[in-house]
Amino acid sequence: MLKRLLPLALATFAVGTDGYVIAGLLPAIAADLGVSTPAAGQLVTVFALTLALSAPIMGALTSGLDRRSALLIALAVFVIGNAATALGTDYEVVMAARVVTAVGAGVITAAASSTAAAIAPPERRGRALAFVLGGLTSATALGLPLGTLIGRADWHVTLWAVAGIGLLAAVGIAVGLPRVTLPAASLADRLRPLGQGHVLALLAVTSLAFLGTYTLYTYIVPALWDATGGNESLLTLVLLAWGVGTLAGNITAGRLVDRHDSARVLTGALALGTLVLALSPLATRALVPTLIWAAVWGVTIGVIVVPQQHRLVALGPAAAPVLLGLNSSALYVGVALGGGLGGLAQEWFGLAPAELGLIAAGVTALTLLWHLGTTRHPAASESVTPAPTSDQPEEARA
């Protein structure tokens, strides 16, 4: 099982590093491209929005392929996009390259998750999802601080490194992953669950949670100025604490959802996240409290995705590729809106980056209230199945 899951985790590690590391490089990118930091932050917004909108379309176009082929094609697009970003010398070119990269990234995240859910036995599905998604969270623990450190001299080098990771993941998938065939689904099939109230409510939880997170996270480097004094080694240390916390939260979440109700696990994470974000302006004034704050915030973020995916898969295991694809889109809608909200709050209202934590806390509190509303309608009361297809099996074939 580990041999099959490892290349999937490496693929999501590449995507996670690519998505997270831009925030760590934002001041350098802004200076090099001759734009403001909030303007450079829109590279995160456009990447996330493109991923969210393209993922269902690209998922439908590749649904007839076995998962290995779909992942290899997506990784090729991902690598080309990162190479183009690394070669970019002006804002418009880099923005266009991020759009290309996002198209590949959206397929990778959903395909890797659905493949993990298909090849794992039901009693280990939570841990399998956590392991594959651990690639994303490992990117915060290792990829983000290392990428930021590498990019100290030249941010382009970091993007070349990400492209290299993508190539390595492609080799691992080509060699180590068997052909896994899942029921094909058209674009209409993939969007059909949005007409079901409970599915839409769960996806809104994902979007709101990451909207809150990325309102602050997109501008994390300037937000940590008081604690780090602009020292890049100290910044890397804080980002490492945040990443390790996120990885710990992800691992813990995988075990918790296999033993406890997923909704309760998520409730605890959102409640703690609200408190931590509310303390951002105070906690980030000195290095030691900032390290503690970053680690605890990381844990709350690491917990969120696994119970959400587990709840969606429980609605209809046969529809897992569709539901997980929609959840990936919902996540990146939140990322895009968060980056936009944080930029507007600074431009329009003159908020300092650290003060964005208060807005993030308010959004996370709203997420908690919305989530508690979804728990009044047990997932077992509804089921989701993809539209039947005559030429595809009803169960995954590996």
Side-chain angles (χ1 to χ4, degrees):
M1 179 66 67
L2 180 61
K3 182 180 179 181
R4 295 181 174 185
L5 294 177
L6 189 57
L8 298 176
L10 185 59
T12 61
F13 177 80
V15 172
T17 300
D18 191 42
Y20 287 125
V21 79
I22 292 297
L25 301 173
L26 216 55
I29 292 174
D32 194 32
L33 299 181
V35 298
S36 67
T37 298
Q42 301 319 301
L43 292 172
V44 176
T45 299
V46 169
F47 175 90
L49 189 59
T50 301
L51 193 155
L53 295 177
S54 68
I57 298 172
M58 296 306 299
L61 292 176
T62 59
S63 66
L65 301 174
D66 66 273
R67 296 299 83 193
R68 182 175 63 186
S69 297
L71 282 164
L72 289 176
I73 292 171
L75 280 164
V77 174
F78 176 82
V79 169
I80 291 171
N82 273 291
T85 304
L87 292 170
T89 56
D90 60 68
Y91 186 70
E92 290 74 17
V93 171
V94 172
M95 183 71 77
R98 295 306 290 164
V99 169
V100 173
T101 307
V103 171
V107 177
I108 293 168
T109 303
S113 297
S114 60
T115 302
I119 64 179
E123 68 276 7
R124 295 183 63 85
R125 186 176 293 142
R127 274 168 281 186
L129 285 170
F131 184 81
V132 171
L133 287 171
L136 290 172
T137 50
S138 294
T140 67
L142 300 173
L144 172 60
L146 286 178
T148 304
L149 200 59
I150 293 171
R152 288 169 64 177
D154 186 351
W155 63 270
H156 299 85
V157 176
T158 299
L159 275 301
W160 281 117
V162 172
I165 296 172
L167 281 175
L168 185 60
V171 172
I173 287 171
V175 174
L177 188 70
R179 293 172 61 91
V180 176
T181 303
L182 297 171
S186 67
L187 181 59
D189 296 334
R190 290 174 177 273
L191 298 180
R192 187 170 292 114
L194 295 178
Q196 298 191 20
H198 193 61
V199 172
L200 197 58
L202 288 182
L203 295 176
V205 172
T206 298
S207 291
L208 286 170
F210 280 86
L211 192 163
T213 295
Y214 270 77
T215 296
L216 175 60
Y217 178 78
T218 304
Y219 307 96
I220 192 65
V221 174
L224 296 176
W225 180 265
D226 286 345
T228 64
N231 185 296
E232 292 176 332
S233 296
L234 294 180
L235 171 64
T236 302
L237 181 63
V238 175
L239 294 177
L240 182 62
W242 187 85
V244 170
T246 306
L247 181 60
N250 179 263
I251 294 172
T252 302
R255 297 183 179 278
L256 288 176
V257 299
D258 281 338
R259 299 176 183 177
H260 304 285
D261 178 64
S262 297
R264 292 185 179 180
V265 174
L266 185 58
T267 298
L270 291 173
L272 182 57
T274 300
L275 176 61
V276 172
L277 286 168
L279 294 174
S280 297
L282 295 176
T284 57
R285 291 181 178 178
L287 181 61
V288 173
T290 297
L291 289 171
I292 298 172
W293 168 85
V296 177
W297 183 31
V299 169
T300 67
I301 296 169
V303 170
I304 291 172
V305 176
V306 175
Q308 277 295 93
Q309 290 203 326
H310 203 266
R311 295 172 77 192
L312 286 165
V313 171
L315 288 177
V322 173
L323 294 172
L324 293 177
L326 288 173
N327 192 59
S328 178
S329 291
L331 187 157
Y332 282 99
V333 166
V335 172
L337 294 176
L341 178 60
L344 290 176
Q346 293 175 82
E347 293 279 6
W348 290 0
F349 304 112
L351 292 182
E355 293 174 335
L356 295 175
L358 298 176
I359 297 178
V363 174
T364 305
L366 177 62
T367 307
L368 175 59
L369 294 176
W370 182 270
H371 160 66
L372 293 175
T374 68
T375 62
R376 298 173 185 174
H377 306 283
S381 67
E382 296 188 45
S383 62
V384 179
T385 55
T389 55
S390 59
D391 59 342
Q392 293 292 336
E394 289 301 317
E395 298 295 332
R397 197 169 63 234

